[in-house]
Amino acid sequence: MTEHLLDRSTYPTVVITGASKGVGEACAILFAQSFPDGVNIVVVARNVAGLHEIKNKLQAYPQCNVLMVTGDVSINSCCRHMIQQAVSYFGKIDVLVNNAGLHHRGDFEKREPDELASMVDVNLKAPIYLTALALPYMPSNKKSAIIMVGSLAGRAPLQGAAVYSATKSGLRAFTYALADEFIARKIKVAVVSPGPIHTSFIMDEIDHVEDIVYSQPMSTAEQVAQAILELTQNNKTEIAMPWLSGVLTTVSYLFPKVRRGTRPMLYKIGAKNKNKYRQ
């Protein structure tokens, strides 16, 4: 038992939150595929059934050691348990993917205060807290990385998603500040900022998602996972995707009048695209 644990400790260890479906699931599979010589993957989520499904899929990669941890990232004690379990089983953490997200959609005044607070807890507090917990167990080398899953809404605020935009904007600011802070430690910190992703996160709630969201090209979970993997290996601090949407969010942030002026047109495009997705 001890000998096997030592063998596993030589492999890179990747911790992925929100790993039971969507981008998290795609990340787990991609990382398993990308380390043919051996990798330890810790999949974290609240959905026990989903965790078992992803564990079964990862069994196709015999060089991949899988640890399932059930827990809610909005609860501090659960976060501590996740990190302790990862370190207990594998000895260290090389990559932390802060992917878990929550979005209660709709106008600010129509949401309950507790719903608004829960978005802050999951989308912003949890990545900060998990990063602080994981740091003591991350080697100071170029293979260590902390990747945040942000959003284009964090680059340009979106009405109907005020708190969600705020959490993703805060996560992006946290990333850029930490990236500079950790240069000497050689730990990579970066953020992927995707637009709409074709997952249950928005497709299961299509009637409640703002039309403007569908005005942008849709990425797949696999494309976002690929960007996350690339960020662990390149020298970029952020990947905004699709590329053109990233440019447009920069323009709309710098020039609010442009954002407000183009909004009616984008809502029309989004409503048309939404109907296509329904069909």
Side-chain angles (χ1 to χ4, degrees), residues 13 24-25 27 40 45 60 66 94 99 172 174 186 213 257 264:
T13 297
E25 177 184 359
C27 275
N40 306 316
V66 184
D94 297 278
N99 167 67
R172 184 171 182 257
F174 174 65
K186 299 180 180 178
V213 171
K257 288 184 178 179

Side-chain angles (χ1 to χ4, degrees), residues 41-61:
I41 297 183
V42 183
V43 287
V44 178
R46 294 176 299 173
N47 185 342
V48 178
L51 286 178
H52 280 286
E53 286 183 18
I54 184 60
K55 183 177 181 180
N56 290 337
K57 291 179 182 179
L58 292 175
Q59 287 178 350
Y61 308 95

Side-chain angles (χ1 to χ4, degrees), residues 19 31 74 80 91 145 188 206 241 254:
F31 274 93
S74 68
R80 289 194 297 271
K188 174 69 178 293
I206 190 167
M241 56 190 298
L254 293 174

Side-chain angles (χ1 to χ4, degrees), residues 74-146:
S74 68
I75 301 172
N76 288 353
S77 60
C78 288
C79 290
R80 289 194 297 271
H81 176 69
M82 295 168 197
I83 299 303
Q84 288 167 359
Q85 286 290 97
V87 175
S88 175
Y89 271 75
F90 300 126
K92 60 184 173 62
I93 297 172
D94 297 278
V95 177
L96 171 63
V97 180
N98 283 309
N99 167 67
L102 178 65
H103 193 176
H104 293 298
R105 305 177 191 281
D107 292 342
F108 181 84
E109 63 182 351
K110 295 179 181 179
R111 305 308 316 193
E112 293 295 326
D114 285 348
E115 292 176 323
L116 303 175
S118 65
M119 281 191 279
V120 177
D121 288 343
V122 173
N123 299 343
L124 183 57
K125 188 198 76 174
I128 293 173
Y129 193 60
L130 283 167
T131 296
L133 290 172
L135 269 176
Y137 306 103
M138 300 190 78
S140 294
N141 59 47
K142 293 183 179 180
K143 294 182 180 179
S144 294
I146 302 165

Side-chain angles (χ1 to χ4, degrees), residues 199-226:
T199 66
S200 60
F201 192 72
I202 66 170
M203 299 310 289
D204 285 358
E205 299 183 356
I206 190 167
D207 291 327
H208 301 288
V209 178
E210 289 280 329
D211 288 351
I212 195 171
V213 171
Y214 295 96
S215 67
Q216 301 302 306
M218 193 89 71
S219 298
T220 66
E222 289 73 22
Q223 288 172 327
V224 179
Q226 182 63 44

